[in-house]
Amino acid sequence: MKATETKVDPGIRLLFEMSRDDNPRLFDDLMRFNKGPKRVNRLRFLAHEGLLAQQWLLGTTVPAHEVPAAKTARSASDIAVARQTSQAFEVGSGEAEV
């Protein structure tokens, strides 16, 4: 393949508004930084970590009989929260992508 035939992936530009009512913890975390690159990088980092957590949830769950009893409740709640987060960002057939 020649250099002129390589396809360059276009970047993604996002513009969104968020109020504290939407997600107080995320809002407060992002507001620690002034407008600009630091806030964008924090959001980028959180998105990346969310993707890793979602992949972990889908691929590396431990069977319940192998989890010590003390950790079972915490693990179950972590998985439930991860599932809710995953569902919140899924795009259904009737919803529009932004």
Side-chain angles (χ1 to χ4, degrees):
M1 183 182 276
K2 296 179 182 177
T4 58
E5 294 175 2
T6 60
K7 192 173 188 178
V8 178
D9 290 330
I12 298 174
R13 294 184 61 89
L14 300 174
L15 174 65
F16 71 98
E17 292 184 20
M18 176 182 198
S19 70
R20 191 168 196 288
D21 293 337
D22 296 332
N23 188 330
R25 290 177 67 187
L26 179 59
F27 183 85
D28 291 343
D29 187 78
L30 293 174
M31 288 303 291
R32 293 185 303 148
F33 305 100
N34 293 331
K35 265 196 301 189
K38 287 183 180 180
R39 189 181 289 175
V40 170
N41 287 333
R42 177 65 177 162
L43 187 57
R44 184 179 291 129
F45 172 78
L46 292 172
H48 182 262
E49 290 298 306
L51 282 174
L52 293 177
Q54 187 176 41
Q55 289 173 355
W56 171 83
L57 174 66
L58 296 175
T60 61
T61 56
V62 178
H65 61 80
E66 294 180 17
V67 178
K71 293 185 178 181
T72 304
R74 183 168 187 260
S75 297
S77 65
D78 290 347
I79 290 172
V81 169
R83 282 190 183 127
Q84 288 175 344
T85 303
S86 296
Q87 290 171 353
F89 290 100
E90 287 179 0
V91 177
S93 58
E95 298 175 14
E97 280 190 64
V98 177

